PDB file of all heavy atoms in Angstrom:
ATOM      1  N   VAL A 455      15.588  -1.719 -33.709  1.00  0.00           N
ATOM      2  CA  VAL A 455      16.883  -1.080 -33.464  1.00  0.00           C
ATOM      3  C   VAL A 455      17.079  -0.864 -31.963  1.00  0.00           C
ATOM      4  O   VAL A 455      18.165  -1.093 -31.420  1.00  0.00           O
ATOM      5  CB  VAL A 455      16.994   0.252 -34.237  1.00  0.00           C
ATOM      6  CG1 VAL A 455      18.338   0.927 -33.957  1.00  0.00           C
ATOM      7  CG2 VAL A 455      16.832   0.013 -35.736  1.00  0.00           C
ATOM      8  N   ALA A 456      16.020  -0.454 -31.268  1.00  0.00           N
ATOM      9  CA  ALA A 456      16.118  -0.248 -29.825  1.00  0.00           C
ATOM     10  C   ALA A 456      16.349  -1.571 -29.103  1.00  0.00           C
ATOM     11  O   ALA A 456      17.129  -1.634 -28.141  1.00  0.00           O
ATOM     12  CB  ALA A 456      14.853   0.428 -29.307  1.00  0.00           C
ATOM     13  N   ALA A 457      15.703  -2.619 -29.536  1.00  0.00           N
ATOM     14  CA  ALA A 457      15.878  -3.921 -28.890  1.00  0.00           C
ATOM     15  C   ALA A 457      17.317  -4.395 -28.997  1.00  0.00           C
ATOM     16  O   ALA A 457      17.838  -5.038 -28.075  1.00  0.00           O
ATOM     17  CB  ALA A 457      14.930  -4.939 -29.521  1.00  0.00           C
ATOM     18  N   ALA A 458      17.980  -4.065 -30.096  1.00  0.00           N
ATOM     19  CA  ALA A 458      19.363  -4.504 -30.299  1.00  0.00           C
ATOM     20  C   ALA A 458      20.357  -3.701 -29.481  1.00  0.00           C
ATOM     21  O   ALA A 458      21.385  -4.241 -29.049  1.00  0.00           O
ATOM     22  CB  ALA A 458      19.715  -4.412 -31.782  1.00  0.00           C
ATOM     23  N   HIS A 459      20.063  -2.416 -29.235  1.00  0.00           N
ATOM     24  CA  HIS A 459      21.079  -1.535 -28.659  1.00  0.00           C
ATOM     25  C   HIS A 459      20.735  -0.965 -27.288  1.00  0.00           C
ATOM     26  O   HIS A 459      21.643  -0.545 -26.562  1.00  0.00           O
ATOM     27  CB  HIS A 459      21.361  -0.375 -29.621  1.00  0.00           C
ATOM     28  CG  HIS A 459      21.899  -0.806 -30.939  1.00  0.00           C
ATOM     29  ND1 HIS A 459      23.148  -1.367 -31.089  1.00  0.00           N
ATOM     30  CD2 HIS A 459      21.349  -0.766 -32.192  1.00  0.00           C
ATOM     31  CE1 HIS A 459      23.360  -1.642 -32.371  1.00  0.00           C
ATOM     32  NE2 HIS A 459      22.286  -1.296 -33.051  1.00  0.00           N
ATOM     33  N   THR A 460      19.464  -0.930 -26.911  1.00  0.00           N
ATOM     34  CA  THR A 460      19.083  -0.289 -25.648  1.00  0.00           C
ATOM     35  C   THR A 460      18.081  -1.150 -24.871  1.00  0.00           C
ATOM     36  O   THR A 460      17.011  -0.667 -24.477  1.00  0.00           O
ATOM     37  CB  THR A 460      18.503   1.116 -25.894  1.00  0.00           C
ATOM     38  OG1 THR A 460      17.392   1.026 -26.810  1.00  0.00           O
ATOM     39  CG2 THR A 460      19.553   2.043 -26.478  1.00  0.00           C
ATOM     40  N   PRO A 461      18.401  -2.430 -24.618  1.00  0.00           N
ATOM     41  CA  PRO A 461      17.467  -3.284 -23.890  1.00  0.00           C
ATOM     42  C   PRO A 461      17.374  -2.882 -22.420  1.00  0.00           C
ATOM     43  O   PRO A 461      18.380  -2.623 -21.768  1.00  0.00           O
ATOM     44  CB  PRO A 461      18.096  -4.673 -24.038  1.00  0.00           C
ATOM     45  CG  PRO A 461      19.573  -4.403 -24.175  1.00  0.00           C
ATOM     46  CD  PRO A 461      19.668  -3.122 -24.946  1.00  0.00           C
ATOM     47  N   ALA A 462      16.171  -2.799 -21.901  1.00  0.00           N
ATOM     48  CA  ALA A 462      15.962  -2.392 -20.512  1.00  0.00           C
ATOM     49  C   ALA A 462      14.523  -2.662 -20.123  1.00  0.00           C
ATOM     50  O   ALA A 462      13.666  -2.941 -20.980  1.00  0.00           O
ATOM     51  CB  ALA A 462      16.291  -0.912 -20.332  1.00  0.00           C
ATOM     52  N   GLU A 463      14.251  -2.557 -18.830  1.00  0.00           N
ATOM     53  CA  GLU A 463      12.877  -2.594 -18.328  1.00  0.00           C
ATOM     54  C   GLU A 463      12.331  -1.188 -18.133  1.00  0.00           C
ATOM     55  O   GLU A 463      11.115  -0.974 -18.188  1.00  0.00           O
ATOM     56  CB  GLU A 463      12.824  -3.389 -17.027  1.00  0.00           C
ATOM     57  CG  GLU A 463      13.199  -4.856 -17.207  1.00  0.00           C
ATOM     58  CD  GLU A 463      13.367  -5.567 -15.879  1.00  0.00           C
ATOM     59  OE1 GLU A 463      12.533  -5.344 -14.971  1.00  0.00           O
ATOM     60  OE2 GLU A 463      14.327  -6.347 -15.734  1.00  0.00           O
ATOM     61  N   ILE A 464      13.219  -0.242 -17.833  1.00  0.00           N
ATOM     62  CA  ILE A 464      12.867   1.178 -17.806  1.00  0.00           C
ATOM     63  C   ILE A 464      13.996   1.931 -18.500  1.00  0.00           C
ATOM     64  O   ILE A 464      15.175   1.662 -18.248  1.00  0.00           O
ATOM     65  CB  ILE A 464      12.705   1.714 -16.365  1.00  0.00           C
ATOM     66  CG1 ILE A 464      11.573   0.992 -15.633  1.00  0.00           C
ATOM     67  CG2 ILE A 464      12.432   3.221 -16.378  1.00  0.00           C
ATOM     68  CD1 ILE A 464      11.429   1.407 -14.166  1.00  0.00           C
ATOM     69  N   TRP A 465      13.634   2.845 -19.385  1.00  0.00           N
ATOM     70  CA  TRP A 465      14.625   3.760 -19.946  1.00  0.00           C
ATOM     71  C   TRP A 465      14.741   4.945 -19.000  1.00  0.00           C
ATOM     72  O   TRP A 465      13.865   5.808 -18.939  1.00  0.00           O
ATOM     73  CB  TRP A 465      14.199   4.222 -21.334  1.00  0.00           C
ATOM     74  CG  TRP A 465      14.515   3.233 -22.422  1.00  0.00           C
ATOM     75  CD1 TRP A 465      15.474   2.270 -22.422  1.00  0.00           C
ATOM     76  CD2 TRP A 465      13.863   3.140 -23.698  1.00  0.00           C
ATOM     77  NE1 TRP A 465      15.472   1.575 -23.610  1.00  0.00           N
ATOM     78  CE2 TRP A 465      14.506   2.087 -24.407  1.00  0.00           C
ATOM     79  CE3 TRP A 465      12.824   3.836 -24.312  1.00  0.00           C
ATOM     80  CZ2 TRP A 465      14.118   1.722 -25.702  1.00  0.00           C
ATOM     81  CZ3 TRP A 465      12.437   3.479 -25.595  1.00  0.00           C
ATOM     82  CH2 TRP A 465      13.077   2.432 -26.277  1.00  0.00           C
ATOM     83  N   GLU A 466      15.827   4.979 -18.243  1.00  0.00           N
ATOM     84  CA  GLU A 466      16.055   6.088 -17.331  1.00  0.00           C
ATOM     85  C   GLU A 466      16.821   7.203 -18.038  1.00  0.00           C
ATOM     86  O   GLU A 466      17.531   6.977 -19.018  1.00  0.00           O
ATOM     87  CB  GLU A 466      16.868   5.622 -16.117  1.00  0.00           C
ATOM     88  CG  GLU A 466      16.124   4.679 -15.192  1.00  0.00           C
ATOM     89  CD  GLU A 466      16.827   4.517 -13.861  1.00  0.00           C
ATOM     90  OE1 GLU A 466      18.013   4.145 -13.833  1.00  0.00           O
ATOM     91  OE2 GLU A 466      16.171   4.758 -12.837  1.00  0.00           O
TER      92      GLU A 466
END
Side-chain angles (χ1 to χ4, degrees):
V455 179
H459 298 292
T460 56
E463 296 170 43
I464 298 176
W465 279 336
E466 291 194 304

